[in-house]
Amino acid sequence: MPPSPTAPGTTPLPHLDASLSAPERAELLLRQMTLEEKCGQLSSFLPWAFVNPDGSVLPGSAQELLASCPPGHIAQLITDDPAQLARLVGAVQRQFLTRTRLGIPALFHAEALNGPLAGGHMVYPTAIGLGATFSPDLVRAMSDLTRRQLRRAGIAHVLSPVMDIALDPRWGRVHETYGEDPYLAAALSVAYTQGMQGDDLREGVIATAKHFLGYAASLGGRNQASVDLGPRRLRDLYAYPFEAAIHLAGLGSVMNSYAAMDGVPVSLDRSVLTTLLRDVLGFDGFVSSDYDSLPLAVDVQKAAATPAEAARLALTAGLDVEFPAPYGYGEGLAELVRNKELDESVVDTSVLRVLRAKFALGLFENPYPHETIDVRATATEGREVSRELARRAVVLAANDTRLLPLPADRSLNVALIGPHADTVLRQFPAYTFPAWREAVNGVMEGAAGTMAGAQTPEASWFTTVLEAADPEQLARTRYGAKPLGEEIGEFARSVTVEPGCGLIRELDDESAAVAAAVRAAEDCDVVVLALGGASLWFTGDRTEGEDSDTADISLPAVQTRLAEAVAATGKPLVVVLFQGRPYTLPDVVRSAQALVIAPFGGPFGTSAVAEVLFGAVDPSGKLPYSVPRHTGQIPVYHHQPAGTGYRKPVAPHNPHHYLDMTAAPLYPFGHGLSYTTFELSELSYDAEVATDGRLTVSAVAANSGARSGATVVQLYVGLRTAGLTRPAQQLTGFERVELAPGERRRVTFTVDASQLGCTGTDGAFSVRPSAGELFLGLDSDDKRLTGEFTLAGPVRTLRSAERAFLSETGSTAVTTG
């Protein structure tokens, strides 16, 4: 341990005085540091640079590095169980505390998009599934538990959540986001960040918002491609979740986008990482580089000639820390300062940000993991939260003939057909532990990895740290996940399972596989087609994921052929689509009697689908994206600007927006059916609102059906502002309500006028006098209750900290009679 300020025989170290504030302590420590020690704080290393898999110390260069330029961060220590993880974190941390001059603890980071990316911890539905729940309370519960689990293991920094607004489904990383809407993304991003960082950061984990900024708006839907965005759209749309998390949750870290905007890579762009992020949005944490951002800037984007030039440009721009290993930072930064190519004050600014975070986290007082961790108990923590999130994420998209729910009295013989019929592994996408294990296996066998910046696995390290495991069996045994056929078997008389095809490829004998599927369909009472996609971290049988983009978002042709063959039997047909992004659907899927859309749901993904199919759970999921009719419509999203896309009136001489089809989506954002029916009535709202006032809107939601259910009441507002084209409509609030048959609740939304502001033609954010329209409905096209109002008063220019981002919502019981 580093010496305490009062240890006998030692010189008091003022930065160890815990009664001082984190900024004061950081300043005191900075004064004691050499140039090399400062630059080390801005770099990261992988754990095997310091210890062997058994935790023993590496000699030689590792010790020299700790003595001269100890790094401030350790990247991605992933093991099979939490006790093993804690032992290795402790072993590495001990080197920093006992073998460095100042004993500055390292800050360990991990991925935690939907639970810790580490063995022995619960997995939750992927982020797009969290979006479908419209449940910030459960997302906060998920991240709160994740926080406690990671701190036990000594990890205090996560590279999550993804706050990108995903408008282009060609992009393979849509499933990592909360969807197409900035308000929904903000609500869930704030909830995630609040749960992760906690009420007191000394017990919290710093969340990292990524990817700043506009990453999902890449040209052609290609990962890491350039982005073409104007400053108003960048601020008002893409920055919204980040800005909300900064002011409502005290966001501690931001990760740069790989993209170049207006010809400048974001990693090197001071106008984005300092002017916009810090000066305009008010961020005061540290900026973490996305993995290998500097090599990308040199080797791919050709924006710097050398690692040294990239490092100078990046640090000056405001990129504080380089992950996952030094390319231009660390010793490279020190060399720049010694050569008078970089002022040491620039280094000091970034070092202070890192040190403030470490002091705020309490790492100097509590640097080590918990001494004992109950592995069995940890593995089951969060089961009920994961199960409930999976249930709420299932969307009933179509049920025209009321085929669903199927009778749960074991009277049916079911044929379950399709590539998702007999696997659980595909419920665990990239950024979950089973997918990571699958990727490690694949890369070690010679396949190419798809995670940007991922290092080639250290074979000697991983073969020692990880037990040999088949990822499919690991998902079943470790998490208790069951394939959909077994889950349906809990309700049906019999289930015949036939894959029929692969996700994107034919099976070895396609004709025999399809024939077997057709026979199963002919012999059953109802067919469930389990189709969709998969996210992988290496070049296997996948349809989406990191660096796995597609020009055509149609359901894979091999699945369409299978569906057509099975549908030709004439048997009642239910289609279940497991997907992390929208696909365009063939006629055979559109004409099915029922369509269910589910995300990659984790260990309870298949059980949630079975429960919805047989009515054990009433479906309440809402689409977090619009589902296009055709790839040519992209991008199609509900908040398109007035006069654009399907928000442009159809011309009199043309029956459609296009010559060949409408521009409207097949299913709109927020769509999702139930087995009961809901009514909205008794709309009340303010007809005039001051530019410094608040708009109150309410209506009565009632369950007019025969069974209990839940729905999401959604408020949308559109504004006509002088000199600007605004979105035709904006989601401005939502409230999930659970109602028994006949129950009525008044749902109320209170919207601060500053939430309705925008960046004006003068470049300032302001609330301006405007004519407004509003509607309440159960999806983004459901205008069952409408009204008009006026924003009145003087123009009100606001700093970021003066804005409101989320409406106040609630519901109260309404008595009848």
Side-chain angles (χ1 to χ4, degrees), residues 46-257:
L46 293 152
W48 46 77
F50 298 101
V51 299
N52 291 305
D54 62 3
S56 60
V57 180
L58 284 173
S61 61
Q63 301 312 308
E64 293 173 8
L65 179 64
L66 288 171
S68 62
C69 188
H73 308 261
I74 297 295
Q76 300 293 359
L77 207 168
I78 304 173
T79 66
D80 257 346
D81 72 68
Q84 180 190 38
L85 177 62
R87 284 195 300 272
L88 284 171
V89 168
V92 176
Q93 189 70 280
R94 192 167 292 108
Q95 307 312 305
F96 286 82
L97 297 176
T98 63
R99 296 175 181 266
T100 63
R101 187 177 72 88
L102 294 172
I104 301 174
L107 181 55
F108 289 74
H109 69 248
E111 300 285 357
L113 182 69
N114 44 333
L117 179 51
H121 296 88
M122 185 52 57
V123 173
Y124 304 89
T126 194
I128 201 71
L130 303 180
T133 72
F134 279 68
S135 299
D137 55 337
L138 284 182
V139 170
R140 180 167 182 169
M142 175 199 79
S143 63
D144 178 75
L145 177 55
T146 300
R147 167 185 62 82
R148 288 182 273 126
Q149 292 173 329
L150 289 172
R151 279 307 291 251
R152 278 184 215 151
I155 295 172
H157 180 202
V158 294
L159 307 186
S160 309
V162 175
M163 298 187 186
D164 295 309
I165 307 301
L167 305 183
D168 191 334
R170 294 174 297 179
W171 186 53
R173 303 186 72 174
V174 170
H175 79 82
E176 299 173 36
T177 77
Y178 297 128
E180 74 177 38
D181 185 82
Y183 183 94
L184 176 62
L188 298 181
S189 296
V190 167
Y192 181 102
T193 305
Q194 289 173 334
M196 186 61 67
Q197 298 193 169
D199 297 327
D200 184 341
L201 201 56
R202 289 174 296 181
E203 298 177 354
V205 173
I206 286 177
T208 301
K210 57 189 194 185
H211 307 80
F212 196 83
L213 190 61
Y215 182 47
S218 55
L219 295 177
R222 289 287 290 116
N223 196 47
Q224 301 181 355
S226 292
V227 168
D228 185 11
L229 289 172
R232 182 174 296 105
R233 189 165 175 80
L234 197 67
R235 165 78 189 278
D236 293 357
L237 172 60
Y238 290 98
Y240 194 86
F242 296 84
E243 192 173 4
I246 288 167
H247 294 292
L248 300 182
L251 177 68
S253 182
V254 163
M255 177 179 282
N256 68 284
S257 164

Side-chain angles (χ1 to χ4, degrees), residues 675-694:
Y675 294 145
T676 188
T677 53
F678 299 100
E679 304 294 337
L680 296 177
S681 63
E682 301 179 36
L683 174 66
S684 173
Y685 64 94
D686 299 315
E688 182 171 300
V689 181
T691 52
D692 62 353
R694 306 214 301 174

